């Protein structure tokens, strides 16, 4: 069964460093998302991406964040200058193109720790 | 703004007992509703979803959920819990345009 994959599974970085989290969505999906879950808190929407542009972003997704689909398979989330409060589990998700609201399939997540 | 409430942070049930996890939502239009499960160290796995039609939906692993518009609820049920069901369960509402809004989650413990 096709699945969303994410790399790395864990990343430790120093405050102020740039990190790139990578995701490979399910191959025929066209909608892509990033969510995050700070330890002990809710899963929060960050951004959705369709047709090579951001379709919606939350207030969390400020200028420090960016997303990109550099090729036909990868979908990345970049944090330019990490802060302590960026420590969280980051989930990538994708959904099929058949309608605006389709089931989102999630990857296993990347646990980011900022020191 | 839409929101999802899961009133129970932790629930403990005996193996073989029935289970009901509560979910209430606040949403202006007809909601798209989902239940996801997260096992330790794993991602979010879809259990079931409600878009329209029959208000009782069946999912994987023997789970079902019932949409009750009058109560703004979408409670998850299972008639007989197995030890492998121990996990965290998230209810979510989907907006048209794709964003999911999640509840805080309910941690299920199963005692033998």
């Amino acid at each position: 069964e096709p699945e969303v994959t994410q790399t790395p599974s864990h990343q430790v970085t120093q405050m102020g460093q740039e990190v790139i989290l990578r995701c490979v969505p399910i191959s025929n999906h066209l909608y892509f998302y990033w969510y995050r879950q700070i330890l002990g808190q809710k899963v929060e929407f960050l951004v959705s991406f369709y047709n090579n542009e951001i379709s919606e972003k939350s207030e969390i997704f400020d200028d420090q964040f960016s997303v990109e689909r550099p090729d036909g398979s990868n979908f990345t989330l970049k944090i330019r200058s990490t802060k302590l409060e960026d420590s969280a589990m980051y989930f990538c998700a994708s959904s099929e193109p058949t309608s605006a609201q389709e089931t989102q399939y999630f990857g296993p997540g990347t646990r980011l720790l900022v020191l | 703004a839409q929101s999802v409430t899961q009133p129970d942070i932790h629930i403990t049930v005996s193996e073989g007992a029935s289970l009901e996890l509560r979910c209430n939502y606040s949403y202006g239009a007809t909601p798209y509703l989902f239940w996801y499960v997260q096992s330790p160290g794993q991602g979010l796995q879809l259990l079931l979803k409600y878009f329209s039609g029959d208000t009782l939906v069946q999912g994987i692993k023997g789970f079902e959920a019932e949409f009750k518009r009058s109560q703004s609820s979408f409670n998850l049920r299972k008639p007989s819990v197995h030890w492998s069901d121990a996990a965290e369960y998230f209810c979510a509402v989907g907006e048209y345009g794709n964003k999911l809004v999640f509840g805080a989650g309910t941690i299920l413990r199963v005692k033998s």
Side-chain angles (χ1 to χ4, degrees), chain A residues 31 33 35 100-101 103-104, chain B residues 36 46 49 95 98-100:
Chain A
Y31 290 89
Y33 316 84
Y35 292 81
Q101 181 60 67
T103 300
Q104 294 180 28
Chain B
Y36 285 87
L46 179 70
K49 61 187 179 186
E95 289 188 21
N98 294 328
K99 180 175 76 174
L100 288 179

Side-chain angles (χ1 to χ4, degrees), chain A residues 93-104:
Chain A
S94 67
S95 65
E96 294 182 68
T98 54
S99 73
Q101 181 60 67
E102 274 291 349
T103 300
Q104 294 180 28

Side-chain angles (χ1 to χ4, degrees), chain B residues 82-112:
Chain B
H82 187 262
W83 64 266
S84 61
D85 293 325
E88 188 163 16
Y89 292 79
F90 293 93
C91 182
V93 62
E95 289 188 21
Y96 192 87
N98 294 328
K99 180 175 76 174
L100 288 179
V101 176
F102 284 85
T106 298
I107 296 172
L108 172 64
R109 299 191 180 109
V110 181
K111 59 182 181 180
S112 54

Side-chain angles (χ1 to χ4, degrees), chain B residues 11 13 22 32 36 43 56 64 67 71 73-74 90 93 100:
Chain B
I11 281 187
V13 299
R22 296 182 290 164
Y32 300 93
Y36 285 87
L56 184 63
E64 65 178 27
F67 170 59
Q71 298 176 19
S73 69
F74 188 56
F90 293 93
V93 62
L100 288 179

Side-chain angles (χ1 to χ4, degrees), chain A residues 51-104:
Chain A
N51 200 25
N52 281 320
E53 61 183 26
I54 291 173
S55 50
E56 187 177 357
K57 61 182 180 180
S58 73
E59 58 190 24
I60 303 168
F61 194 88
D62 61 21
D63 292 344
Q64 292 299 312
F65 292 88
S66 62
V67 289
E68 191 179 28
R69 188 152 163 83
D71 53 42
S73 60
N74 289 285
F75 179 53
T76 62
L77 174 70
K78 183 193 291 187
I79 309 175
R80 288 191 185 82
S81 178
T82 50
K83 306 184 185 79
L84 296 176
E85 55 264 37
D86 293 327
S87 296
M89 179 74 94
Y90 288 81
F91 292 106
C92 174
S94 67
S95 65
E96 294 182 68
T98 54
S99 73
Q101 181 60 67
E102 274 291 349
T103 300
Q104 294 180 28

Side-chain angles (χ1 to χ4, degrees), chain A residues 8-23:
Chain A
S9 58
H10 294 79
Q11 179 145 7
V12 181
T13 190
Q14 295 292 322
M15 188 170 56
Q17 295 296 304
E18 175 184 285
V19 295
I20 297 176
L21 310 183
R22 291 183 167 79
C23 168

